């Protein structure tokens, strides 16, 4: 059984209203993405079918209603769809892995600005989660030699699967960033990291983050959230060659505290960078050439 073409619009309108009532931000966009997913097509194709007056079957409509019901309980859209876009790639995500955020795309720009396409330059992504930064770097600059390190076994499995599905030759290792890559000290050109940095005790407002992003991906291990980031930076310092670059994301409230801590720790050329919304979100720092 299918609903009439006007029913597609009505289906989207009613889902948008239900999602908005449940407090879902971007309710209209989510409704479109969920209907496209339930129908097994892209949003562009969904819009084309709507224009042509094609109607979804009762089965598709049923799947869509179930997805909207779940989204109303604030299950992340990306978990329902099973993927998240990051720069030019699509990453598989689900329970047990941090959903990559648009603001993290800035880190890839900062790494590429440093290295250009320098063949064979060695980059490590510490705390890789889904593999977002490492895989985007390899996708955009195939001549880079890219390694990724992740502590959590579930997240590591998502990253390994993403590398395989995308066909990208990135080494994906499991273990703590703080002791990563023994034997490779002093060799790397860039260490990039989006570590956990939320101050302990701070509870994220959005239920999608609070209830679905793994705690190990969120909390920085101290009241200021900087214990883990600074431990990661210490290991980055060991691993970089003199003159090598650290690129690290931080909370917008850490735009002074993290750069200051890195300067105190002996890094040079410490600079902070803003995201597209003008918030301080990433720091770069160079390992001193003795
Ligand atoms: C904020 S998430 C970032 C994930 C990914 N880099 C991104 O930008 O989407 C932080 C990640 O660090 C991992 N992590 C936490 N502590 C770690 C540690 N000590 N060593 C390595 N990875 C760690 C978490 O499991 C999580 O996947």
């Amino acid at each position: 059984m299918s609903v009439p073409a006007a029913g597609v619009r009505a289906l989207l309108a009613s889902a948008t209203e239900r999602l908005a009532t449940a407090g879902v931000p971007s309710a209209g966009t989510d409704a479109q993405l969920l209907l496209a997913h339930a129908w097994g097509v892209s949003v562009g194709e969904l819009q084309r079918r709507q224009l042509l007056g094609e109607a979804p079957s009762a089965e598709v409509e049923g799947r869509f209603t179930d997805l909207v019901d779940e989204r109303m309980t604030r299950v992340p859209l990306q978990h329902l769809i099973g993927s998240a876009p990051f720069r030019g790639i699509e990453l598989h995500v689900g329970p047990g892995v941090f959903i990559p955020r648009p603001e993290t795309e800035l880190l890839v720009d900062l790494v590429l600005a440093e290295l250009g396409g320098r063949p064979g330059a060695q980059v490590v992504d510490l705390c890789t989660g889904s593999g977002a930064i490492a895989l985007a770097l390899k996708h955009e600059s195939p001549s880079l030699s890219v390694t990724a390190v992740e502590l959590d076994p579930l997240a590591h499995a998502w990253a390994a699967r993403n590398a395989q599905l995308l066909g990208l030759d990135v080494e994906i290792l499991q273990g703590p960033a703080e002791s990563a890559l023994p034997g490779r000290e002093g060799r790397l050109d860039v260490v990039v990291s989006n570590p956990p940095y939320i101050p302990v005790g701070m509870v994220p407002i959005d239920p999608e983050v609070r209830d679905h992003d793994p705690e190990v991906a969120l909390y920085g291990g101290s009241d200021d959230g900087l214990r883990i980031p600074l431990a990661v930076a210490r290991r980055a310092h060991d691993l970089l060659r003199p003159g090598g670059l650290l690129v690290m994301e931080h909370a917008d409230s850490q735009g002074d505290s993290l750069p200051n801590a890195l300067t105190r720790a002996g890094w040079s050329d410490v600079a902070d960078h803003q995201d597209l919304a003008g918030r301080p979100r990433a720091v770069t720092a160079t390992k001193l050439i003795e």
Side-chain angles (χ1 to χ4, degrees), residues 37 45 47 49 68 81 120 210 214 216 221 226 229 233 238 248 259:
H37 181 67
E45 175 62 15
Q47 288 165 343
R49 289 184 182 188
V68 172
I81 286 175
R210 188 187 64 222
V216 65
L226 291 181
D238 295 340
M248 183 175 276

Side-chain angles (χ1 to χ4, degrees), residues 130-213:
S130 63
I133 300 168
L135 295 171
L137 282 168
K138 188 69 182 177
H139 179 247
E140 292 179 42
S141 194
S143 63
L144 294 177
S145 162
V146 185
T147 299
V149 178
E150 167 59 43
L151 175 68
D152 184 72
L154 267 181
H156 172 263
W158 283 103
R161 181 163 173 252
N162 279 321
Q164 192 190 14
L165 289 172
L166 290 164
L168 291 168
D169 181 17
V170 170
E171 183 184 28
I172 313 265
L173 304 173
Q174 192 199 339
E178 294 85 336
S179 55
L181 305 175
R184 291 199 224 172
E185 289 83 1
R187 299 218 205 134
L188 303 179
D189 296 292
V190 171
V191 173
V192 58
S193 182
N194 175 17
Y197 51 65
I198 296 181
V200 168
M202 219 185 97
V203 181
I205 296 167
D206 293 335
E208 288 87 347
V209 180
R210 188 187 64 222
D211 302 335
H212 296 278
D213 274 327

Side-chain angles (χ1 to χ4, degrees), residues 195-282:
Y197 51 65
I198 296 181
V200 168
M202 219 185 97
V203 181
I205 296 167
D206 293 335
E208 288 87 347
V209 180
R210 188 187 64 222
D211 302 335
H212 296 278
D213 274 327
E215 280 200 9
V216 65
L218 298 179
Y219 294 103
S222 56
D223 288 347
D224 63 1
L226 291 181
R227 188 183 68 75
I228 295 175
L230 289 174
V232 172
R234 273 194 296 279
R235 186 58 188 157
H237 198 271
D238 295 340
L239 292 170
L240 287 169
R241 62 167 170 75
L245 187 77
L246 169 69
V247 179
M248 183 175 276
E249 182 168 318
H250 58 70
D252 51 7
S253 60
Q254 295 161 343
D256 290 326
S257 54
L258 182 57
N260 289 341
L262 292 177
T263 302
R264 281 196 303 276
W267 293 84
S268 73
D269 301 320
V270 178
D272 208 62
H273 306 266
Q274 298 184 340
D275 64 15
L276 290 174
R279 296 168 307 176
R281 289 315 300 264

